Amino acid sequence: MGLTLPGEQPPASGAEHPDHGSLDPADNRTRSSVITARAAHTFEPVGRSVAAARAFVRDTLQGWGFGDVVDDAVVLTSELVTNAVVHAGTAAEVVCLRSGDGVRIEVADRYPEREIPLQSGGVSMGSPDREGGRGLQLCAALASRWGVEYSPAHKHVWFRLDLPERQVGTRTAGPSVSTELLPLADERVRVAVIQIDSEGAVSAWNDDAQELFGYPAKQIIGKPLTDYAAWPHTPGTSTGIAEALRLSRWEGSYGIRAADGRVVPVYASHLRVRDPQGEPSTVCLLVRDDERAVLATPQRGAAPESRHRADGQGTDPFETFIGSPAPDDLDGLLQRTVERSRDMLDGDAAFLLLATDDETELEVRATTGLPSARQRFARVPVDTGSGRYGTARMPAVHEDLSAVPGAMPLLNGTGMRSVVTVPLKVEGRLTGSLGVAAEGAGRYSNEEALRLQFAADRIALAVESARLGELERLRRGSLSFLVEASDLLAGTLDRDQTLALMAQMTVPTLATWCAVYTIADTASEPYLSYVLHEDEERIDGLKALLGRIDPPEPVPTPGARIWPAPARAAHEAALEASVRSLDDEPHHLGSGIGSTLTTAASVGGETVVLPLVARNRVIGMLVLGKPSEDHFRQENLELAEDLSRRAALALDNSRLYSERMAISQSLQRSLLPPDMPEVPGVEVEVIYRAAGEGNEVGGDFYDLFTIPDGAYGFAIGDVCGTGPEAAAVTGLARHALRLLAREGYSGPAVLERLNNAILDEGERSRFLTLLYGELRPQEDGSALLKVVCAGHPLPLRLRQDGSVEAAAEPQPLLGVMDDLELYEQTVRLEPGDVLLCVTDGITERREGSRMLGDDGLAEVLKGCTGLTAGAVAARVMRAVERFAADSPSDDMAILTMRVPEPQRN
């Protein structure tokens, strides 16, 4: 049973099946529809069958003289056969039926249950990006008529292509025109035949050349043609006369300077030939430019009326080549382009490369028939090469790549032998290169280059527009990425965390794996500090591999440079592991070779090194790598370079911060007592908490030391401010207290002399609050204290009954006035009593407008009855920390002394 589709009239009753000789019984055209030839072939369900089907249709139609419809027939056949052998997985039978006015091609498969999306009124066939239905959309765009027919065992998809109208005897080379439209010519058309030898000199000059340009043969033979050519650079090719003479075939316009000094515009056809001895030369046929029709290759005829859309508008050549609607993303557009180009030239592979902004390199962006994962984003220079054509700015045909090794590095090891490449240009600027390759030699000539160039010209603007759109999106994404990276790097001053952030921001966004080398100073060697791989199980193997090779050279030159050492070492390690595994007994084989091969695969691609430069010094290197045969995008390398500059500064800041913090902590430790002596009969506990992150030396200090006559000196103080100036006063106070107290001075005398020493510091002096006392344990189990409180928070005494009272009176602080008159007060601690001494970081603890104060501290101390000295200090500190949610903004020190109660039997 047959199905009627758009553009198809129902078949008449009793119509024969197409296999038996009927084309379209409902066709009411006046031209003959009698079948005059039939060709059929069945193709197995394998990938190579698609290319074989294209070749079968092309050879059949060329043999019938249907060159006008060959390209469309090949494209449609390729799509339908792909659906059958690749997606449906069945054999495909292709039948070509020739009639006097057109050709009908049928593709049948043996999977009728697999339905094709049909188009009826108002129903869309879906996106052309889907495999299903895309071939039918091309049929609707290119074919005169098309349809689908089902039988119990087969499904037939057919399309018909009509030949353009032309008079009997007209050649297919060009359309027939009326006599009035024929080009004007002189009484006799003169064709100058000039032969140019391998050196570019004229070796033959016929009579018509002498007539056209005025030079006799003896005057011009042996001279370079370039001396007489007025070459205007053909628009869109940037090809010079010397380059044109070396092409296998070329057509175009330029000028010849005649003997009378005027420039004669000519149209030329150049053909490269060689003599029996193998010497090349170029035969040039030249006519006046207004007689170019004599030599010019005719343009392809206009599409028949049946190819116009239903709304009366002609089909866009771009949409005809790419398909409608075109992919709206760059990768989809490029992939569709290479697939269509391969089908158009019946190739085995195709590729498209895009030029960098400076037009110095081409980057592989889309391939078909090639290992795309291996080749994607590989870069090749534009203006170098060892083949016949040393530039990508002009069309090139390589008949046999085996004769010119290295001419197309992209195709090395792929089995391709012949290739044609053409440039993509927008407003004369190179934007890319499109190529089609085949496994056989000599498959392509200048004719295919012209056809491919025509297609490249149709898609160049769309590709450039999509590329600019992608670049804009990438730049926006890069800007967002760098802003986020800067925020993260600025949020930490820890060196190890900075290294981890550097690696985590590059993997997997920019690279598959990353390694960071650091350099401590100019005399140090690079050290492998951090390694990260997107697969955590490969980190250890990667770290071991990098540890076996010399680090990259610390070069301050900005930008990424290739580092081949990891890939080479990985390859050698894999080779050695493979050899060892062959030598071992089967039961000795372990997992080592598997791990080695996995590591080799993960680092076998492109590896680049970016210097980490901060403050005009190389402080390390950022190494980024890809897996086997993979390459970096140029945009990613530029982004990585920007990131490396920010990361280098963050890493150097973390180094400076670490050094400063280490110095501060060392100095802070030197200002605190190395150990605390044990006081018989008295429990002593100290808690010290420095505020901030340790980058500043605090002004709080405490001390407990022995003095003569079995007494102990104790002190707790607070120097105004922080930093080196405060540290100087702190050190002066602690050492002066010990020295003077051990010399036998009383408490007031010690503090008066310390006050004078602080004032002697001049501008570096800082005022100091200090609680100093002498502790003497008594034989009755109590303790006698003599204390002086110079501007410091008063010590609090907790009795056994839970009452709290100040244990001293306030006196002037140190470092402000001369001639201080201080006095000491005596306090006796009975068994069970506690003396609590704190710095102002405790009493001035704030939560909003509330402050703990002396009263708040006293309330806390009241609840500590019966606790040991250590428990009292811990409870006070816990209460202070809970008083406010924010971290402390000032140093805090607590010194507690308690006389224990006697043990009861």
Side-chain angles (χ1 to χ4, degrees):
M1 176 178 180
L3 293 180
T4 302
L5 295 175
E8 164 78 351
Q9 296 184 13
S13 176
E16 291 185 276
H17 189 274
D19 284 0
H20 298 88
S22 173
L23 266 175
D24 188 357
D27 192 353
N28 56 7
R29 301 181 62 165
T30 57
R31 290 182 290 174
S32 171
S33 296
V34 177
I35 294 177
T36 59
R38 181 182 186 276
H41 197 281
T42 300
F43 299 94
E44 295 301 318
V46 293
R48 294 291 301 166
S49 294
V50 180
R54 291 197 300 265
F56 166 70
V57 172
R58 180 180 298 280
D59 294 343
T60 299
L61 269 59
Q62 291 284 15
W64 290 348
F66 286 2
D68 296 301
V69 297
V70 164
D71 291 338
D72 292 343
V74 168
V75 169
L76 295 178
T77 301
S78 179
E79 286 292 337
L80 299 179
V81 173
T82 298
N83 288 338
V85 303
V86 176
H87 302 297
T90 74
E93 182 180 3
V94 179
V95 179
C96 300
L97 303 172
R98 183 187 70 180
S99 65
D101 55 359
V103 63
R104 170 168 166 150
I105 298 178
E106 300 176 358
V107 178
D109 64 51
R110 296 180 175 84
Y111 193 59
E113 294 84 0
R114 184 183 180 93
E115 294 186 357
I116 279 185
L118 305 179
Q119 183 182 19
S120 57
V123 179
S124 173
M125 288 185 288
S127 169
D129 294 327
R130 296 177 51 199
E131 294 297 335
R134 190 170 67 182
L136 299 187
Q137 288 192 345
L138 286 175
C139 288
L142 301 179
S144 305
R145 297 188 179 192
W146 58 283
V148 180
E149 297 175 357
Y150 287 95
S151 68
H154 293 78
K155 179 186 67 186
H156 299 264
V157 182
W158 61 267
F159 59 88
R160 177 188 174 95
L161 299 171
D162 292 330
L163 296 177
E165 294 278 2
R166 55 178 180 266
Q167 298 175 1
V168 176
T170 303
R171 296 183 58 191
T172 60
S176 59
V177 297
S178 62
T179 304
E180 293 75 12
L181 296 178
L182 293 175
L184 292 175
D186 287 345
E187 294 180 358
R188 173 171 175 261
V189 175
R190 299 185 181 275
V191 180
V193 181
I194 306 172
Q195 192 158 359
I196 312 299
D197 61 22
S198 60
E199 303 298 326
V202 177
S203 59
W205 183 268
N206 72 341
D207 293 340
D208 281 352
Q210 179 176 339
E211 185 67 26
L212 286 173
F213 309 121
Y215 300 105
K218 63 181 180 180
Q219 180 180 346
I220 201 169
I221 287 179
K223 296 182 179 178
L225 180 64
T226 54
D227 291 350
Y228 299 90
W231 188 261
H233 289 286
T234 302
T237 64
S238 300
T239 304
I241 179 64
E243 288 82 1
L245 291 172
R246 288 196 295 270
L247 293 176
S248 60
R249 193 173 189 88
W250 184 88
E251 287 185 16
S253 300
Y254 53 94
I256 295 293
R257 295 183 181 87
D260 57 6
R262 62 188 178 89
V263 175
V264 179
V266 298
Y267 189 86
S269 175
H270 299 173
L271 177 64
R272 189 84 159 156
V273 298
R274 60 176 178 165
D275 60 22
Q277 286 72 40
E279 288 296 324
S281 62
T282 304
V283 177
C284 304
L285 306 181
L286 292 80
V287 297
R288 292 187 179 91
D289 193 56
D290 55 7
E291 298 172 349
R292 64 169 59 200
V294 175
L295 297 179
T297 300
Q299 296 296 323
R300 224 180 134 183
E305 295 179 0
S306 60
R307 293 191 193 168
H308 282 57
R309 296 195 290 243
D311 57 7
Q313 299 179 358
T315 302
D316 186 349
F318 170 77
E319 292 185 354
T320 300
F321 180 72
I322 293 296
S324 178
D328 56 0
D329 64 299
L330 178 61
D331 289 337
L333 177 60
L334 299 183
Q335 193 61 36
R336 185 81 64 82
T337 297
V338 295
E339 291 172 357
R340 294 291 190 269
S341 300
R342 179 198 61 186
D343 294 345
M344 183 179 70
L345 297 189
D346 192 21
D348 297 306
F351 50 89
L352 194 151
L353 301 84
L354 293 183
T356 55
D357 291 338
D358 55 6
E359 298 184 33
T360 60
E361 288 186 317
L362 291 168
E363 188 177 66
V364 179
R365 290 301 303 272
T367 62
T368 182
L370 295 176
S372 57
R374 177 171 64 90
Q375 302 290 352
R376 188 166 169 79
F377 301 122
R379 291 178 299 278
V380 295
V382 171
D383 292 307
T384 59
S386 57
R388 284 190 297 172
Y389 311 111
T391 177
R393 302 180 188 274
M394 54 195 299
V397 178
H398 292 276
E399 297 177 352
D400 192 351
L401 291 175
S402 62
V404 280
M408 293 293 295
L410 178 64
L411 301 179
N412 289 347
T414 62
M416 303 298 162
R417 295 187 61 185
S418 54
V419 62
V420 53
T421 61
V422 297
L424 275 69
K425 293 193 174 184
V426 175
E427 297 180 351
R429 181 174 61 87
L430 180 70
T431 61
S433 178
L434 177 62
V436 178
E439 295 179 354
R443 287 278 298 276
Y444 301 118
S445 64
N446 193 58
E447 179 183 353
E448 284 78 13
L450 293 175
R451 291 172 58 202
L452 190 61
Q453 184 68 71
F454 179 81
D457 293 341
R458 301 285 76 75
I459 60 126
L461 186 59
V463 168
E464 179 66 3
S465 177
R467 187 182 75 91
L468 293 176
E470 181 192 64
L471 288 177
E472 180 62 23
R473 289 190 296 273
L474 286 174
R475 288 190 179 102
R476 290 181 181 178
S478 299
L479 181 60
S480 176
F481 174 81
L482 290 175
V483 169
E484 182 179 358
S486 299
D487 290 342
L488 290 173
L489 291 171
T492 179
L493 289 172
D494 182 81
R495 176 182 177 276
D496 293 337
Q497 190 173 1
T498 301
L499 291 172
L501 284 174
M502 290 170 58
Q504 291 166 7
M505 284 185 291
T506 57
V507 176
T509 305
L510 302 178
T512 304
W513 62 271
C514 167
V516 183
Y517 289 84
T518 56
I519 304 175
D521 51 59
T522 55
S524 301
E525 292 294 324
Y527 175 75
L528 182 61
S529 299
Y530 200 90
V531 176
L532 182 66
H533 194 285
E534 64 180 6
D535 184 354
E536 294 183 358
E537 295 181 355
R538 302 187 183 185
I539 294 178
D540 292 339
L542 178 59
K543 187 182 299 184
L545 175 68
L546 294 177
R548 291 196 297 268
I549 61 178
D550 294 333
E553 189 70 21
V555 178
T557 306
R561 70 180 192 275
I562 301 297
W563 186 32
R568 184 166 55 244
H571 176 73
E572 293 174 355
L575 185 60
E576 292 175 1
S578 300
V579 172
R580 286 198 304 270
S581 67
L582 293 176
D583 294 337
D584 288 341
E585 294 295 332
H587 61 276
H588 290 155
L589 293 179
S591 61
I593 182 173
S595 175
T596 302
L597 295 178
T598 300
T599 302
S602 64
V603 301
E606 192 171 55
T607 302
V608 297
V609 178
L610 297 106
L612 298 174
V613 181
R615 298 176 176 90
N616 299 320
R617 185 175 74 87
V618 180
I619 64 171
M621 285 88 68
L622 178 64
V623 179
L624 305 179
K626 287 283 190 177
S628 292
E629 302 297 339
D630 207 352
H631 299 267
F632 285 97
R633 294 189 61 171
Q634 185 64 32
E635 294 84 356
N636 286 350
L637 291 179
E638 294 171 357
L639 183 57
E641 186 177 355
D642 287 338
L643 177 62
S644 68
R645 288 194 290 266
R646 290 164 169 79
L649 187 58
L651 184 60
D652 199 46
N653 288 341
S654 68
R655 177 187 62 82
L656 295 175
Y657 175 79
S658 298
E659 292 177 354
R660 182 178 178 182
M661 187 169 63
I663 294 173
S664 297
Q665 291 174 345
S666 176
L667 181 58
Q668 189 77 63
R669 287 191 297 270
S670 70
L671 299 178
L672 298 176
D675 50 24
M676 299 286 288
E678 292 186 2
V679 180
V682 179
E683 297 174 359
V684 180
E685 184 66 29
V686 175
I687 296 179
Y688 178 83
R689 299 282 174 83
E693 299 180 3
N695 57 331
E696 292 286 351
V697 178
D700 290 9
F701 71 97
Y702 64 89
D703 203 357
L704 179 66
F705 51 91
T706 59
I707 56 177
D709 300 330
Y712 295 87
F714 67 90
I716 183 169
D718 185 4
V719 178
C720 174
T722 58
E725 293 82 2
V729 176
T730 300
L732 173 65
R734 193 172 73 82
H735 294 292
L737 286 175
R738 289 196 172 207
L739 178 64
L740 293 172
R742 287 170 176 171
E743 289 293 327
Y745 289 97
S746 65
V750 170
L751 269 62
E752 289 169 1
R753 285 166 174 74
L754 176 59
N755 180 65
N756 294 332
I758 294 174
L759 293 175
D760 289 343
E761 292 293 311
E763 295 181 355
R764 296 181 300 173
S765 67
R766 297 290 184 94
F767 66 81
L768 167 67
T769 68
L770 180 64
L771 173 65
Y772 173 75
E774 296 178 358
L775 170 66
R776 286 183 170 83
Q778 303 297 308
E779 292 182 357
D780 60 359
S782 64
L784 187 66
L785 289 82
K786 296 180 179 180
V787 296
V788 180
C789 187
H792 199 76
L794 299 179
L796 299 178
R797 176 182 180 179
L798 173 65
R799 295 183 181 272
Q800 281 185 305
D801 60 4
S803 62
V804 176
E805 62 183 5
E809 295 177 354
Q811 299 185 57
L813 57 99
L814 308 181
V816 177
M817 299 181 298
D818 295 330
D819 301 327
L820 287 178
E821 294 184 2
L822 303 175
Y823 59 92
E824 63 183 11
Q825 296 174 275
T826 301
V827 179
R828 181 180 291 273
L829 295 180
E830 300 295 341
D833 289 353
V834 176
L835 184 71
L836 174 64
C837 309
V838 299
T839 58
D840 59 4
I842 298 291
T843 57
E844 295 180 1
R845 177 74 164 151
R846 293 181 179 274
E847 173 66 19
S849 60
R850 298 187 306 121
M851 186 173 72
L852 180 64
D854 294 335
D855 294 339
L857 181 61
E859 288 296 323
V860 174
L861 184 59
K862 286 180 181 179
C864 297
T865 304
L867 299 180
T868 63
V872 171
R875 178 171 290 188
V876 171
M877 179 60 72
R878 185 164 58 251
V880 171
E881 291 176 341
R882 291 177 177 177
F883 184 80
D886 296 337
S887 299
S889 59
D890 194 5
D891 297 339
M892 296 185 296
I894 299 175
L895 171 63
T896 59
M897 292 179 287
R898 177 179 180 270
V899 178
E901 298 177 274
Q903 297 288 336
R904 296 179 181 179
N905 296 329

